[in-house]
Amino acid sequence: DSVERIASNVVRLTLELADGDWLDFRPGQFVQIEVPGFGVVRSYSPSSTLSNLPKLELLIRLLPGGAMSSYLEERAQAEDVLTLSGPYGAFFLREEKKRAPHIFVAGGTGPAPILSMIDALHQSSGRKPPMLLNFGCATPDALFCLDDIELRQQWLPSLEARICVDREPEPGMHQGSPVSVLRESDVSSADTVAYLCGPQPMIN
């Protein structure tokens, strides 16, 4: 449907499933897309939820010389047909833990599956758990979806967000990584669950 640049090096790719096709995924899982003209596949986690289908939204980082990046920047047009498969992956929202306090730590394009998880919790019935989202990038121009995060805070009074950058923080931002702004007091219960998505050094 559309390719929208939402940060210096991130685009939002919106797809619509073909008539008669469906995709049953859990928030956090990923799909694989064949990159037209490159003969390779790339993996992305939807930032949308099942309730958005047949629309599917992906957040994709643009990498110099990357296959998908080259396609999106140079060739992609509305009405292009892409082939995708999935879902895959054991990283997904654990429904049986949905009442426990949640901590989300996201770096790079890590917010994609995290936003899907937060929306799924919002859409679920009953009391919403306490949620903390720590999201960070290197510099403010690399941040994205801040309006989306703020909107979710309006929907979910139990959601706290800490926006982090390594350098040149603007007012209201924390300096450091999404991990460095975690506090011991954030683990408010022995039942607290955490979901981490981002660069491997951040996960480590």
Side-chain angles (χ1 to χ4, degrees):
D1 276 358
S2 64
V3 179
E4 174 192 5
R5 189 181 288 255
I6 58 173
S8 59
N9 61 348
V10 177
V11 300
R12 177 187 282 121
L13 175 63
T14 305
L15 308 175
E16 183 166 353
L17 297 180
D19 288 344
D21 284 343
W22 200 251
L23 181 70
D24 196 7
F25 66 93
R26 299 183 183 188
Q29 289 188 301
F30 65 91
V31 297
Q32 292 190 326
I33 299 179
E34 295 180 18
V35 185
F38 286 85
V40 297
V41 299
R42 293 291 182 265
S43 301
Y44 304 102
S45 295
S47 56
S48 50
T49 66
L50 285 176
S51 66
N52 302 116
L53 292 175
K55 299 277 189 180
L56 192 68
E57 186 180 276
L58 307 171
L59 304 177
I60 298 175
R61 182 167 296 283
L62 299 174
L63 302 172
M68 181 62 85
S69 302
S70 298
Y71 165 70
L72 292 174
E73 290 190 286
E74 300 166 11
R75 299 170 45 188
Q77 301 286 331
E79 305 303 326
D80 281 0
V81 176
L82 302 178
T83 300
L84 61 85
S85 60
Y88 305 108
F91 177 72
F92 55 79
L93 186 69
R94 268 38 184 195
E95 290 288 339
E96 69 275 11
K97 304 273 192 179
K98 66 181 181 180
R99 298 286 177 252
H102 283 60
I103 294 175
F104 301 104
V105 182
T109 48
I114 299 301
L115 288 173
S116 181
M117 291 179 178
I118 291 173
D119 285 352
L121 288 169
H122 174 240
Q123 293 160 8
S124 66
S125 60
R127 179 180 58 84
K128 311 309 178 194
M131 289 177 257
L132 169 64
L133 167 60
N134 287 2
F135 167 42
C137 290
T139 53
D141 71 299
L143 292 167
F144 56 93
C145 288
L146 298 188
D147 289 344
D148 296 330
I149 293 170
E150 187 174 337
L151 184 61
R152 283 157 177 79
Q153 287 184 279
Q154 294 176 24
W155 296 342
L156 289 162
S158 64
L159 172 62
E160 176 189 354
R162 297 175 192 157
I163 307 302
C164 318
V165 290
D166 294 332
R167 303 182 299 279
E168 305 158 22
E170 295 177 358
M173 296 179 183
H174 298 263
Q175 183 160 10
S177 74
V179 175
S180 69
V181 296
L182 283 171
R183 305 166 189 150
E184 189 170 350
S185 59
D186 293 335
V187 182
S188 56
S189 160
D191 297 326
T192 300
V193 292
Y195 297 90
L196 294 84
C197 188
Q200 193 60 47
M202 185 205 82
I203 301 295
N204 293 342

